Amino acid sequence: MGASTAFNGKVAAASMFTLRLDEPSEVAAYNGDAAKEISMDFLATVKDLASADALKPDVVDAWLGRIVDAHGASAEGVALVGVAPAAEPLPGA
């Protein structure tokens, strides 16, 4: 088992990953640093062609779910741009 075996396993896993990236929420979430890190973590689980777990659709879908969850979490707590704070009442008003 050499580097080419590991490479071929990663190519097979990446192909499965790309095929499973089929839901609008997955496509929308597949950008940014979190998606990149999770995708790299997924590929790191593949050591060779025998890393069959990475090629099971439900396993790939779980990794894609992590990307969607991370994308949703990154939007929490984001302030709206252009929204002015409430004005203080005028004295005597």
Side-chain angles (χ1 to χ4, degrees):
M1 288 197 229
S4 65
T5 302
F7 176 79
N8 290 336
K10 289 181 188 295
V11 168
S15 295
M16 171 65 81
F17 188 91
T18 303
L19 287 172
R20 301 298 299 172
L21 187 65
D22 57 354
E23 297 292 326
S25 60
E26 294 167 349
V27 173
Y30 192 66
N31 65 56
D33 291 338
K36 177 184 167 188
E37 287 180 36
I38 294 168
S39 299
M40 297 300 287
D41 289 346
F42 166 72
L43 285 178
T45 67
V46 180
K47 307 297 182 202
D48 53 34
L49 286 173
S51 301
D53 279 348
L55 301 177
K56 292 180 183 174
D58 58 328
V59 172
V60 175
D61 288 345
W63 282 95
L64 290 169
R66 290 178 62 190
I67 291 173
V68 171
D69 291 346
H71 181 73
S74 68
E76 292 177 11
V78 174
L80 296 175
V81 176
V83 176
E88 294 292 323
L90 296 172

